[in-house]
Structure formats: C-alpha cells, structure tokens
Amino acid sequence: MSARDPGSTTTARSWHPLSLSIQLAVLVLAEIALFQTYGAHDARFHWAAHFLVAVATAALVLLAVLLVRGSPGRYPLLLVLALHLFAMAPDLIFRAGAPHALWMDVFLGHISVHYLPGGDTAGLAIALVAVGAYVVALTRWLRATRNPM
Amino acid sequence: MRWWVPAAATAVLAIVLIGVVIGLVRPPGPLDDPRPAYQRDGILRDGPVLAREVAGVPFGERTVVLLFERDAPTGAEWEEWRQDVSDDGVDLVLVPASVDGASALAAAVGMPVPVDGGPPVGYAVVDPDRQVRYATLDPKYLLNAFEVDVITGAVS
C-alpha cells in the first residue's frame, strides 16, 4: 500500500464529509424502502441475508482497491447499495414470473447465502469482520498519509 | 479525515446492524419452518411422484395446489387469494388439518413440520405429471398469492 498517493480528486471528493453524508442518506432511505418492501411479504430474513452479503462484499472490494491502488475506493456507501441491488436482482426476476434457480448464485450467492449455517447471525458476523478488516487497513492508510482526504 | 473517523463510524454501524438483524429480523414463529432458508425459497424441486389419487385427491390432469391449514380460512382476503391462485386452470384443494387424509397428504408431498410441531400451514404444488415441485410452510400465504402464481405458472 502506498503512503504517498492521496488518491484522485474524485476519490477525495467521494470521501468528503458532505459526500459521505449524502451517500449515507441515500443508502439509509433506500434500505428502509427495501426493508419495508421485503417486510410486507414477510421476508425480512431475505432482506438481511442479501444486505449483509452486500456489506461484506463492499468491504472486501474496498479493501482490495486500497491494497492494490494505494488509495481508497470511491463512493463506499453507494457501493453497498449497488451491491445490495445486484444481490437481490433474482427477487425482481421472481416477481416478474421466474422461480429461483441455482444459477442465480452469480448474484452474490443469492441462493446459497440462505443456507449459511447460523443464518443471518452468521452473515452479520462475517459482514462485521469484513468491515473491520477494511477499517483497519483504511485507518493505517490514513495515519500513514497524514490525513490526505 | 481524522484517522479515527472510520473506526468510530464502523462502531456505530456495527451497533445499528446488530440492532436491525437481532431486533427487526424476526426469528421463526410457531408456524414457520425452523429452517428459514427452506421456507418460500422459490426453487422448483423434482419431488416424489404421487399416485393418481391420494386421500381422495386426484392428481395427474392439471396442476394441483394443496393448501394446508389448521382451520378453514374465510373472509374477503381468502376469497381473493383463492381466486388469484385458481384462475390459471389450477386446481386448488383446501386441506384443513381436521379432515381425514390431511396427514397422509402432508406426508405424501413432504410438507415440513413447523416450529410448534403441529400440522403444517402452507402449500404444495403438484404438476400435471403428478410430481411434487414445491412444498413450503407459509403461515402468511394470504400476503403472497403472487408467489403461488409464479410457481404454478412455471410448472403448468
């Protein structure tokens, strides 16, 4: 990881407090809407499973970007939302009339994630570990670069 | 950005996530499948092939939806659900737990046993070749008529 590269202007902009606040607002509002939609069909378990996979995947993607590029990835909170929408795509396909099938695992393990031993609690633990790993790396980078963002 | 901001933000995120997953994502209720992954998973299965008649219910001509209930449903919501499910040339058979043969039907299609160990509340879909393609508990089936339509539409 480079301690000299402060990242691009776009990256710095996406980590600005105002940008993070907007991203957080978009993420929270969208997730509340998705939670209510799933909840209306007695499917909160499914919402949580796909959301937690999205959180874990986003953390791993951001960690990889940080390690490879030497600067943080862009729009971290919007990445979580984008990955969540991607992970839940088979549910939209189901709604359009096609049953679930094993090939739908290409959507961040859409089928298999439900069979994770421990269910959503295990998914939560994995997501928190992944986020924790990214935060450790990001914190080290911030300290090494002396606050470039 | 201060170096400690990500850690502090993550601590807040962790608390919120734990609260949401533990507090808002409800655990299986007494009528639910103890294995949430197997309830309404939306995956067609190549289940057992039934005899031409099981407990007085004929199979093999059209898609059959067996609705397992503890008490016969009533009301406008039920009527709407019944209409939605059976308007595509599907035979809907209501199987209250009290009728003779309910247990035999549930066993034949492989209905899961709910958390409370009692009779199932949910439905099974048997295709025109008498093969069981779907069997799930769903105590809130009235909310999810479209799911039955998706399954029956795929097997008919």
Side-chain angles (χ1 to χ4, degrees), chain B:
Chain B
M1 178 185 291
R2 304 286 184 189
W3 66 267
W4 48 265
V5 169
T10 301
V12 174
L13 168 72
I15 292 170
V16 171
L17 272 183
I18 291 170
V20 168
V21 172
I22 304 297
L24 296 182
V25 180
R26 68 181 185 89
L31 298 181
D32 287 316
D33 196 315
R35 310 156 304 164
Y38 291 87
Q39 183 165 317
R40 296 166 52 215
D41 62 8
I43 300 175
L44 295 181
R45 291 192 165 76
D46 294 329
V49 176
L50 302 181
R52 293 198 177 279
E53 185 177 304
V54 178
V57 178
F59 296 97
E61 293 186 3
R62 300 199 299 177
T63 298
V64 176
V65 174
L66 298 169
L67 175 64
F68 295 89
E69 252 288 15
R70 295 194 176 178
D71 301 301
T74 58
E77 199 175 13
W78 153 248
E79 289 300 329
E80 186 178 345
W81 188 92
R82 185 179 64 78
Q83 189 69 37
D84 281 349
V85 168
S86 57
D87 66 0
D88 300 323
V90 171
D91 287 338
L92 174 62
V93 179
L94 176 61
V95 189
S98 57
V99 303
D100 290 342
S103 298
L105 276 169
V109 300
M111 285 298 290
V113 177
V115 168
D116 71 0
V121 177
Y123 57 91
V125 177
V126 183
D127 70 16
D129 295 324
R130 294 182 281 122
Q131 185 168 37
V132 179
R133 304 302 306 278
Y134 199 65
T136 184
L137 297 179
D138 186 3
K140 296 190 176 175
Y141 61 90
L142 291 178
L143 291 176
N144 303 309
F146 78 95
E147 293 187 5
V148 188
D149 279 342
V150 170
I151 299 299
T152 57
V155 306
S156 296

Side-chain angles (χ1 to χ4, degrees), chain A residues 34-127:
Chain A
L34 292 173
F35 183 84
Q36 288 182 331
T37 302
Y38 275 79
H41 295 286
D42 193 31
R44 292 178 177 182
F45 166 76
H46 297 270
W47 170 85
H50 304 310
F51 176 65
L52 293 171
V53 165
V55 170
T57 306
L60 295 177
V61 168
L62 290 167
L63 178 61
V65 169
L66 183 59
L67 294 176
V68 171
R69 205 177 66 181
S71 64
R74 299 170 185 170
Y75 303 107
L77 300 181
L78 294 185
L79 178 62
V80 173
L81 178 58
L83 289 171
H84 188 187
L85 293 173
F86 179 70
M88 60 175 274
D91 290 335
L92 301 177
I93 297 171
F94 184 91
R95 187 77 205 204
H100 282 151
L102 294 180
W103 69 264
M104 292 177 176
D105 267 343
V106 299
F107 295 95
L108 299 185
H110 184 90
I111 303 298
S112 299
V113 68
H114 295 303
Y115 301 94
L116 181 69
D120 285 343
T121 304
L124 173 64
I126 292 170

Side-chain angles (χ1 to χ4, degrees), chain A residues 16-43:
Chain A
H16 187 278
L18 177 60
S19 173
L20 286 174
S21 299
I22 294 172
Q23 292 177 57
L24 182 62
V26 171
L27 176 65
V28 169
L29 290 174
E31 291 300 338
I32 288 173
L34 292 173
F35 183 84
Q36 288 182 331
T37 302
Y38 275 79
H41 295 286
D42 193 31

